């Protein structure tokens, strides 16, 4: 499940391959836009908004994509054959590069002027130019009874956190995922740490929250149910939390987090 930092890096790669160049091919393999053709339009930029990607053209068109669970964008030379067959949802190509979108959870075309329809619901973007920690904190606190593990995943509160960072942030702050938001005194510290964690990871693929990039050592609690806590040795727990079936399992140390 790509989180905000992975989407940020994907946007940068798409931007490098497409921006400033004229599309020589667009191939939408989703029923709603199967006949769309953006050939001849120049891509002006690709920007991330939370976990959403917006690729804009000089014709006032935005291609909105979202990776969801298994999606990815791959960049390859225009002359090579796009691999992936039935997994491909969208190809955008110029005379040098082609960007091949695999298993994208969202593919849609909309007027750039109407992007708010796609991303207007999002809270402050942790990696965005308009990052606003006070507004993120205000939105989180607006529903004080809600378990903090759920609130952090709600992209309307703040945009960019997925299941891995949620679990790791709460471990590092010593907060049980089921604690109500209203009982978390230092939400500002939690929000600040979220920003630093995504920012520190955005330039690399793969997530590291422990400072150790070796395989099997990258996380404190995420994916480690039944194994000893790296701090106290208590066995890490896991359980379902929240309404989103895609990202409901959470991990925590019952001793370090209260
Ligand atoms: Zn522990």
């Amino acid at each position: 499940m790509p989180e905000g930092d992975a989407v940020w890096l994907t946007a940068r790669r798409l931007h490098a391959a497409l921006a400033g160049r004229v599309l020589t091919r667009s191939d939408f393999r989703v029923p709603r836009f199967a006949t769309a053709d953006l050939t001849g339009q120049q891509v002006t930029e690709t920007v991330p908004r939370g976990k959403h990607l917006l690729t804009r053209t000089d014709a006032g068109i935005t291609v909105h994509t979202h990776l969801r669970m298994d999606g990815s964008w791959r960049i390859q030379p225009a002359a090579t054959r796009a691999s992936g067959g039935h997994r491909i949802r969208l190809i955008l190509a110029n005379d040098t590069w082609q960007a091949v979108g695999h298993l994208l959870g969202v593919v849609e075309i909309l007027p750039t002027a109407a992007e708010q329809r796609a991303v207007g619901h999002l809270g402050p973007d942790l990696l965005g130019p308009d990052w606003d920690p006070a507004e993120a904190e205000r939105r989180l606190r607006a529903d004080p009874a809600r378990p903090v593990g759920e609130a952090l995943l709600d992209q309307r509160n703040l945009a960019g956190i997925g299941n891995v960072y949620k679990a790791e942030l709460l471990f590092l702050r010593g907060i049980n995922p089921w604690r109500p938001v209203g009982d978390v005194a230092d939400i500002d510290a939690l929000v600040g740490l979220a920003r630093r964690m995504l920012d520190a990871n955005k330039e690399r693929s793969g997530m590291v929250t422990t400072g150790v990039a070796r395989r099997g050592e990258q996380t404190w609690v995420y994916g480690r149910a039944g194994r000893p806590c790296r701090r106290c040795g208590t066995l890490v727990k896991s359980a379902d939390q929240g309404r989103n079936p895609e990202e409901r399992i959470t991990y925590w140390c019952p001793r370090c987090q209260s």
Side-chain angles (χ1 to χ4, degrees), residues 171 229 231-234 253 255-256:
F171 174 82
C229 170
R231 273 200 184 141
C232 75
T234 303
C253 170
R255 185 159 175 209
C256 292

Side-chain angles (χ1 to χ4, degrees), residues 8-209:
W8 185 92
L9 189 58
T10 297
R12 199 169 69 167
R13 288 174 176 157
L14 281 171
H15 183 84
L18 299 177
R21 295 188 168 99
V22 173
L23 292 170
T24 54
R25 180 185 179 198
S26 73
D27 184 354
F28 288 82
R29 300 187 186 175
V30 293
R32 190 171 151 212
F33 297 104
T35 60
D37 185 5
L38 306 184
T39 301
Q41 298 183 21
Q42 180 173 310
V43 173
T44 54
E45 60 185 341
T46 293
V47 297
R49 286 288 176 268
K51 295 193 269 180
H52 300 252
L53 292 158
L54 304 171
T55 297
R56 299 167 178 154
T57 79
D58 62 351
I61 294 295
T62 292
V63 179
H64 166 223
T65 58
H66 193 296
L67 305 178
R68 293 268 190 253
M69 284 292 278
D70 302 311
S72 64
W73 274 104
R74 301 173 194 186
I75 311 295
Q76 56 185 90
T80 58
R81 188 167 177 276
S83 60
H86 66 281
R87 296 161 61 92
I88 297 172
R89 298 292 177 270
L90 172 58
I91 299 174
L92 297 173
N94 51 52
D95 56 12
T96 307
W97 299 107
Q98 60 183 329
V100 184
H102 288 234
L103 298 176
L104 301 172
V106 174
V107 175
E108 66 171 343
I109 298 171
L110 70 169
T112 300
E115 280 178 358
Q116 288 303 302
R117 288 208 309 256
V119 295
H121 65 289
L122 295 176
D125 183 349
L126 279 154
L127 294 178
D130 55 349
W131 168 236
D132 182 347
E135 174 63 11
E137 184 177 345
R138 188 191 69 76
R139 291 183 181 216
L140 284 165
R141 288 196 185 284
D143 187 354
R146 196 172 188 194
V148 63
E150 273 186 52
L152 285 177
L153 282 182
D154 189 333
Q155 305 295 301
R156 293 171 297 185
N157 289 332
L158 71 177
I161 295 177
N163 217 19
V164 180
Y165 288 133
K166 173 203 70 179
E168 298 292 288
L169 285 165
L170 292 172
F171 174 82
L172 286 167
R173 296 297 310 163
I175 300 167
N176 185 295
W178 276 270
R179 199 198 296 180
V181 168
D183 292 348
V184 179
D186 45 1
I187 285 275
D188 56 335
L190 185 64
V191 166
L193 181 60
R195 157 87 177 180
R196 290 198 302 281
M197 193 178 272
L198 266 73
D199 193 60
N201 274 290
K202 71 184 184 184
E203 304 275 357
R204 64 179 158 214
S205 44
M207 297 182 266
V208 177
T209 56

